[in-house]
């Protein structure tokens, strides 16, 4: 990531955590004598990414977040391997393992058509505790079932989701061709 992209990504992530209901809302985490609440986040890696692309994205995400705020020093990272609509694998990996690229040892690129609404439905079921969800994906996904997309993103996921395409941070609404009024 370029320095500008890192800054945009950091600001987008912190905006999510400072939102109402987030762990940094109203700076309640930093009040006198209070410790920072534990943070759980999810990083989704698209199977269409090349191994090196996925490794550098993972390293950039972890490094940028750790330098952004102290809440990221002790974070539980859930890693989701989005291989196909039928194969979405959830694992837990320490942030240093992601940053060093060791969790990509068994990476195989998969050239399969996938639908983001299926991924979001899966994330809604299995990653509900995550306060920040980052999807590193190839560009060009289109939604086939908008009703399923809306059901999957509501009531919370659309507020916690960052979509990375080619290392550029975007809110999921803009990427998938929806406006924020369509929630």
């Amino acid at each position: 990531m370029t320095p500008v992209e890192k800054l945009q990504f950091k600001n987008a992530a912190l905006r999510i955590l400072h939102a109402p209901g987030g762990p940094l809302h109203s700076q309640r985490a930093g009040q006198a004598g209070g410790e920072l609440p534990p943070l759980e986040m999810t990083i989704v890696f698209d199977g269409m990414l090349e191994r090196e692309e996925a490794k550098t994205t993972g390293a950039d995400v972890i490094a940028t977040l750790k330098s952004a705020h102290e809440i990221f020093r002790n974070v539980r990272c859930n890693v989701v391997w989005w291989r196909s609509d039928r194969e979405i694998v959830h694992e837990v990996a320490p942030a240093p393992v992601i940053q060093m690229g060791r969790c990509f040892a068994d990476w195989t690129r998969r050239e399969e058509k996938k639908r983001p609404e299926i991924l979001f439905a899966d994330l809604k079921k299995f990653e509900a505790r995550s306060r920040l969800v980052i999807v590193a994906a190839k560009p060009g996904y289109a939604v086939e079932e908008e009703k399923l997309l809306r059901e999957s993103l509501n009531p919370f996921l659309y507020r916690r989701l960052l979509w990375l395409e080619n290392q550029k941070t975007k809110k999921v609404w803009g990427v998938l061709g929806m406006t924020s009024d369509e929630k």
Side-chain angles (χ1 to χ4, degrees):
M1 279 190 210
T2 67
V4 171
E5 290 170 343
K6 286 181 182 181
L7 181 65
Q8 290 172 339
F9 173 70
K10 176 190 81 150
N11 289 340
L14 289 176
R15 199 172 314 124
I16 288 171
L17 297 180
H18 280 285
L24 299 177
H25 179 65
S26 300
Q27 294 297 323
R28 68 176 175 204
Q31 291 176 353
E35 291 184 20
L36 288 171
L39 177 66
E40 186 167 339
M41 66 181 238
T42 300
I43 304 175
V44 180
F45 292 100
D46 183 357
M48 290 180 64
L49 296 171
E50 297 291 337
R51 179 192 309 241
E52 285 306 311
E53 217 177 349
K55 281 174 72 172
T56 57
T57 300
D60 285 347
V61 163
I62 297 297
T64 303
L65 292 177
K66 281 190 173 190
S67 69
H69 196 277
E70 62 188 68
I71 197 166
F72 292 106
R73 289 188 188 146
N74 186 17
V75 63
R76 176 187 164 111
C77 292
N78 301 312
V79 177
V80 178
W81 308 107
W82 185 26
R83 297 178 179 146
S84 70
D85 285 344
R86 293 173 309 290
E87 188 178 4
I88 301 172
V89 180
H90 299 258
E91 295 178 357
V92 176
V97 171
I98 299 169
Q99 192 171 9
M100 290 185 280
R102 284 191 276 158
C103 65
F104 300 98
D106 298 332
W107 184 268
T108 52
R109 185 173 186 271
R110 292 213 174 157
E111 192 71 39
E112 264 188 65
K113 181 182 177 196
K114 296 185 283 270
R115 297 174 25 212
E117 61 267 29
I118 302 292
L119 172 68
F120 298 154
D122 187 77
L123 291 174
K124 181 178 180 179
K125 288 181 202 169
F126 298 109
E127 302 298 337
R129 291 181 359 179
S130 292
R131 293 296 184 170
L132 179 63
V133 179
I134 301 162
V135 181
K138 281 283 192 185
Y141 283 103
V143 175
E144 293 178 15
E145 294 180 50
E146 288 193 29
K147 182 180 180 197
L148 177 61
L149 176 75
R150 284 190 188 91
E151 289 171 358
S152 301
L153 290 173
N154 283 317
F156 72 92
L157 189 60
Y158 76 94
R159 296 176 195 255
R160 300 177 183 175
L161 187 65
L162 283 178
W163 187 276
L164 297 177
E165 284 183 357
N166 292 341
Q167 310 247 347
K168 293 187 176 150
T169 307
K170 300 180 180 180
K171 288 298 285 178
V172 74
W173 298 109
V175 171
L176 300 176
M178 300 176 70
T179 66
S180 57
D181 298 336
E182 294 179 282
K183 293 183 235 175

